[in-house]
Every structure is written in structure tokens, then in C-alpha cells.
């Protein structure tokens, strides 16, 4: 049942299967997926009974704290009904994250990762099949910039899966990566390409086998260049010419939106203008354009306050720390470490890409976090040795050294698992990450 719930929720919430195939709309897959997810979540929670065990799931506490701040921003928002509607969407996103995290923890994240990667390949495949003119996108949920960031975030995960798998599954993973790369080229998103370029640079700087890596990156670059339209490179030509780039000159461009967002943040620094209400606030109090922030950091701060931005940044730091520790963990095999490297590069792509798009509560990121949370749970199960069995309390039964100290084996926890807020400062150093291979 858990596996069915993971794949169905991913298809409904992440892949947006009903939007890709409208013929499925009468089946009410969304209601079925959420009902099944509620049953699975209740079953998972019943197995986590005990003091403090409910909130031991990695990333859960900061996510719930963001959820709380989103709720607090509704009553004082610039448009309460709009903020309440946005909060309903946030609730669904957090619910999907919780179900995927709890249910996927039993398989160490393998089931969630498989479901998400299938979704990425389906989205890329639909874009390739339905290729038309102009900037391509799929469904009403993902515009061109949103889907480009999704591909940039999961391309390293697909590539890592290709390195970790063997035989036919390796070919399938690399084929999926090529489909996602083709789909990304069709979006003509400059922010997505910048995110991938930063990831490529990070990979080269941290790799021990740079020759092989440069060859692979060269092949990927050639595929991308040959599949991109001429209009794509014309858009890039404007980057160096500020006078012709609407993002720099127009009132509806990104630069003016960022300035407007910072101005509104100074007016509402504590709880912001309301979750999902950047566009309404910008229309009323900003530059008069009903547009989103086009920058997630500014979006989070403006909509929910500076404390929410702090929590969000700490959440990103936590994922980085998990990825670094996973890549360097001696208790994991080579395939598991490769997958953590994919997470490491994927979160880099996301952190760069959200400078240009609004993704505070995007289902793509929360699906990615659910995968990380489940993978971290699996790693903790390997890192924590089984505690010694209970022994009689009599003095003669206790094993002691000459100085009377207890020498029994104690159970150990990973340093990051002991942080009170699962990643909120102070955050302990996870150690130097293992180098790429």
C-alpha cells in the first residue's frame, strides 16, 4: 500500500498526470491519492509511537515551522481570501511531503527517488513529443522557468542513478537524463542553464577524474547545444546588454520586482504580506504589476517575514549538510554515496535557480526534500549500531574497567541527528565531503 501511495501521490502532485492527460480527469485520481496517503500516513505514525519519535524524521521540524509561519501570515495578509486559498495549496504540499517522507523512509528513499525520477522522465518526454514553436512547458502548474528548474535539480540525481545502477537500468537512467536535458533546452530558460553551469563547475572542482567528467559534460553540452533553438541563444545575447534586457529596464522586469519586494519587506518584516500574496501586494503597494517575485528568497521574506527566510535558508543548509555527510559516510556503499552526490549537486542547482523564479512551496522542491529525508533516515539506520541488550542492574553484572568505568557498547547517533531543529543553527559541521568519482 505504501508503494502505491508514493507513486500515486507523485503522479498526481508532482507529475500532474491529470493535466498531461485530461482523459484521466473523471477518475478523480487526486482524491484517491490523498485518501490513500492519509491512510498510509496514519499507519506510519502509528509505528512511530514513543516520546519524541514523531519529530525525529529529518527535515520535518523546519518544514512544519515554515507551515506555521505561512498560517500566521494569513490573518494579516493584504488579501485574506487569496492568502487562505494559497495556504490550502501549501497544506496539500506539506501533506505530500509528509507521506512521501514517512512512507519512503522504510526503503531508504529508493521508492520515492524512483517515483520522482519516473515523473521527471514523463514530463520531459511529453515536452519532446509535443514539441512546438517558442518556449515549451507542460501543464498549467509548470511554466517554462519552473520546469527548467525542475530538470536542473533532478538531472544530477538522474546522472547519479546512472552511475549507481548496472546493466539495463544504467541505460534507462542515462536515457532519462538525456530526455530531461532535451526538455530543458526546449524551455529556453536562462536561469536553468545558469544553474546547470554552476553545478558543472562545482563537479569539475570537486572531481578526481576530471578527464572523464569533462568528456561527459562535453557530450551533454553538445546535446544541449544541438537541441536548442536559435531563439534560445538570442535570449542569451541580451544578458550582456542591459539596455535591451527587459528584466533590467522594464517596470515588470525582475530588477524592479526585486526592488519592490525589498521595499514591501521593510514595511512588513515580521509576518510579511501573506503567503502567496506577493503579486497582490506588488499591485497594491509596489510598482503596480500583478507579478510574482521571480526570486524565492525575496518571495519567502516578503510573504512570510524575515524569520521565515531564516528558516528556509537553514532548511537548505540542512540538505547540504546531509548530502556532504552522506557522500563521506564510510557505512554506505559506493552506489549510495553516488546518490548523495546527486543530491549535493541537485540542491546546488536549486539554490542558484531560485534566484530567478518563485518556488517557496513548489511541489518539485518538496518532493526533492522528501527524497532527501527518506534517504537520510535510511543512512541513520546504518550509522546507528544496535544498542546493547538490557542487563541486570546488579553491580556484579556490570562490565567495568580497573577504574570502575562502564565499558559496555553505547548506541551512537549521527551528530546531525542530535540538533534540536534538524538543521536550524547552531548546525554542527558534518565533515568534509567525499570527492566525486
Amino acid at each position: 500500500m505504501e508503494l502505491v501511495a508514493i507513486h500515486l501521490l507523485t503522479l498526481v502532485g508532482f507529475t500532474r498526470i491529470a493535466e498531461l492527460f485530461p482523459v484521466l480527469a473523471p477518475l478523480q485520481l487526486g482524491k484517491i491519492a490523498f485518501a490513500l496517503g492519509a491512510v498510509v500516513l496514519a499507519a506510519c505514525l502509528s509505528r512511530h509511537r514513543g516520546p519524541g519519535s514523531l519529530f525525529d524524521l529529518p527535515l520535518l521540524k523546519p518544514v512544519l515551522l515554515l507551515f506555521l509561519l505561512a498560517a500566521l501570515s494569513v490573518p494579516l495578509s493584504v488579501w485574506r481570501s487569496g492568502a487562505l486559498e494559497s495556504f490550502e495549496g501549501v497544506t496539500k504540499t506539506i501533506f505530500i511531503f509528509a507521506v512521501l517522507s514517512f512512507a519512503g523512509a522504510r526503503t531508504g528513499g529508493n521508492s520515492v527517488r524512483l517515483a520522482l525520477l519516473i515523473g521527471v522522465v514523463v514530463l520531459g518526454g511529453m515536452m519532446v513529443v509535443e514539441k512546438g514553436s517558442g518556449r515549451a512547458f507542460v501543464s498549467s502548474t509548470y511554466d517554462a522557468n519552473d520546469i527548467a528548474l525542475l530538470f536542473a535539480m533532478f538531472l544530477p540525481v538522474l546522472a547519479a542513478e546512472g552511475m549507481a545502477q548496472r546493466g539495463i537500468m544504467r541505460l534507462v537512467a542515462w536515457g532519462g537524463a538525456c530526455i530531461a536535458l532535451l526538455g530543458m533546452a526546449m524551455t529556453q530558460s536562462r536561469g536553468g542553464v545558469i544553474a546547470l553551469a554552476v553545478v558543472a563547475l562545482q563537479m569539475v572542482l570537486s572531481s578526481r577524474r576530471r578527464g572523464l567528467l569533462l568528456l561527459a559534460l562535453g557530450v551533454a553540452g553538445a546535446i544541449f547545444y544541438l537541441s536548442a533553438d536559435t531563439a534560445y541563444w538570442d535570449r542569451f545575447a541580451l544578458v550582456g546588454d542591459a539596455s535591451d534586457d527587459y528584466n533590467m529596464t522594464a517596470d515588470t522586469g525582475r530588477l524592479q520586482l526585486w526592488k519592490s519586494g525589498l521595499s514591501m519587506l521593510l514595511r512588513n518584516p515580521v509576518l510579511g504580506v501573506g503567503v502567496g500574496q506577493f503579486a497582490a501586494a506588488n499591485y497594491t503597494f509596489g510598482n503596480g504589476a500583478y507579478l510574482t517575485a521571480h526570486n524565492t528568497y525575496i518571495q519567502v521574506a516578503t510573504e512570510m517575514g524575515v524569520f521565515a527566510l531564516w528558516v528556509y535558508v537553514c532548511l537548505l543548509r540542512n540538505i547540504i549538510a546531509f548530502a556532504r555527510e552522506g557522500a563521506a559516510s564510510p557505512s554506505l556503499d559506493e552506489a549510495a554515496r553516488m546518490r548523495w552526490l546527486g543530491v549535493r549537486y541537485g540542491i546546488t542547482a536549486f539554490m542558484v535557480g531560485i534566484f530567478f523564479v518563485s518556488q517557496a512551496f513548489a511541489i518539485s522542491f518538496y518532493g526533492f526534500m522528501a527524497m532527501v529525508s527518506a534517504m537520510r533516515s535510511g543512512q541513520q539506520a546504518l550509522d546507528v549500531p544496535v544498542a546493547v541488550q538490557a542487563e541486570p542492574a546488579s553491580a556484579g553484572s556490570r562490565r567495568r574497567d580497573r577504574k570502575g568505568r562502564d565499558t559496555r557498547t553505547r548506541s551512537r547517533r549521527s551528530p546531525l541527528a542530535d540538533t534540536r531543529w534538524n538543521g536550524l543553527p547552531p548546525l554542527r559541521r558534518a565533515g568534509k565531503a567525499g570527492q566525486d568519482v
Side-chain angles (χ1 to χ4, degrees), residues 201-217:
L201 178 61
Q202 183 187 23
M203 294 172 67
V204 170
L205 293 178
S206 62
S207 175
R208 293 179 297 177
R209 302 176 182 177
R210 294 183 181 176
L212 182 62
L213 177 61
L214 288 173
L215 177 61
L217 292 176

Side-chain angles (χ1 to χ4, degrees), residues 62-78 83 86-87 90-91 94 261 264-265 268-278 281 293 296-313 315 359-362 366:
V63 168
L64 291 180
L65 188 52
L66 273 179
F67 179 74
L68 174 61
L69 292 171
L72 292 176
S73 72
V74 173
L76 300 178
S77 65
V78 297
S86 297
F87 181 70
V90 171
T91 303
I94 302 301
M264 290 187 292
L265 172 62
N268 304 274
V270 180
L271 293 177
V273 299
V275 60
Q277 299 310 300
F278 183 96
T296 300
Y297 303 106
I298 295 178
Q299 176 198 7
V300 171
T302 304
E303 292 184 354
M304 295 181 291
V306 292
F307 183 66
L309 177 62
W310 177 71
V311 175
Y312 195 82
V313 171
L315 187 60
Q359 299 282 293
F361 291 101
Y366 283 81

Side-chain angles (χ1 to χ4, degrees), residues 190-245:
R190 293 174 291 183
V193 172
I194 293 173
L196 276 186
V198 172
V199 169
L201 178 61
Q202 183 187 23
M203 294 172 67
V204 170
L205 293 178
S206 62
S207 175
R208 293 179 297 177
R209 302 176 182 177
R210 294 183 181 176
L212 182 62
L213 177 61
L214 288 173
L215 177 61
L217 292 176
V219 172
I223 294 175
F224 187 87
Y225 179 81
L226 294 175
S227 58
D229 295 336
T230 305
Y232 198 170
W233 308 119
D234 292 340
R235 287 171 56 82
F236 264 99
L238 298 176
V239 173
D241 189 357
S243 61
D244 289 336
D245 192 342

Side-chain angles (χ1 to χ4, degrees), residues 20 120-132 136-138 147 151 175-187 223 227:
L20 298 180
V120 172
V121 175
V122 170
L123 288 169
M126 288 297 296
M127 292 182 65
V128 173
V129 170
E130 298 182 357
K131 185 180 186 304
F137 61 94
V138 289
I147 196 68
F151 288 146
C178 290
I179 291 175
L181 190 62
L182 292 174
M184 184 172 179
M186 294 168 57
T187 65
I223 294 175
S227 58

Side-chain angles (χ1 to χ4, degrees), residues 43-221:
C44 291
L45 295 180
S46 67
R47 292 195 297 265
H48 287 77
R49 291 177 179 174
S53 60
L54 174 62
F55 294 103
D56 283 343
L57 189 72
L59 303 179
L60 181 61
K61 289 179 181 177
V63 168
L64 291 180
L65 188 52
L66 273 179
F67 179 74
L68 174 61
L69 292 171
L72 292 176
S73 72
V74 173
L76 300 178
S77 65
V78 297
W79 184 25
R80 293 181 184 178
S81 59
L84 183 59
E85 182 178 354
S86 297
F87 181 70
E88 292 176 0
V90 171
T91 303
K92 294 178 181 178
T93 301
I94 302 301
F95 174 80
I96 294 175
F97 163 81
V99 174
L100 296 183
S101 299
F102 277 105
R106 300 189 67 184
T107 62
N110 292 333
S111 54
V112 179
R113 183 173 57 253
L114 176 62
L116 291 173
L117 294 184
I118 290 175
V120 172
V121 175
V122 170
L123 288 169
M126 288 297 296
M127 292 182 65
V128 173
V129 170
E130 298 182 357
K131 185 180 186 304
S133 60
R135 303 185 65 185
F137 61 94
V138 289
S139 81
S140 59
T141 300
Y142 301 113
D143 65 14
N145 292 320
D146 295 336
I147 196 68
L149 179 59
L150 183 150
F151 288 146
M153 182 168 46
F154 282 96
L155 266 170
V157 181
L158 276 166
E161 196 67 22
M163 296 292 293
Q165 294 287 355
R166 294 291 183 269
I168 188 65
M169 294 306 299
R170 169 172 285 188
L171 296 178
V172 171
W174 283 115
C178 290
I179 291 175
L181 190 62
L182 292 174
M184 184 172 179
M186 294 168 57
T187 65
Q188 300 183 13
S189 172
R190 293 174 291 183
V193 172
I194 293 173
L196 276 186
V198 172
V199 169
L201 178 61
Q202 183 187 23
M203 294 172 67
V204 170
L205 293 178
S206 62
S207 175
R208 293 179 297 177
R209 302 176 182 177
R210 294 183 181 176
L212 182 62
L213 177 61
L214 288 173
L215 177 61
L217 292 176
V219 172

Side-chain angles (χ1 to χ4, degrees), residues 78 144 171 206 210 223 256 258 332 341 372 378 391:
V78 297
L171 296 178
S206 62
R210 294 183 181 176
I223 294 175
Q256 294 299 322
W258 296 347
L332 300 181
L341 282 174
V372 173
E391 299 182 10

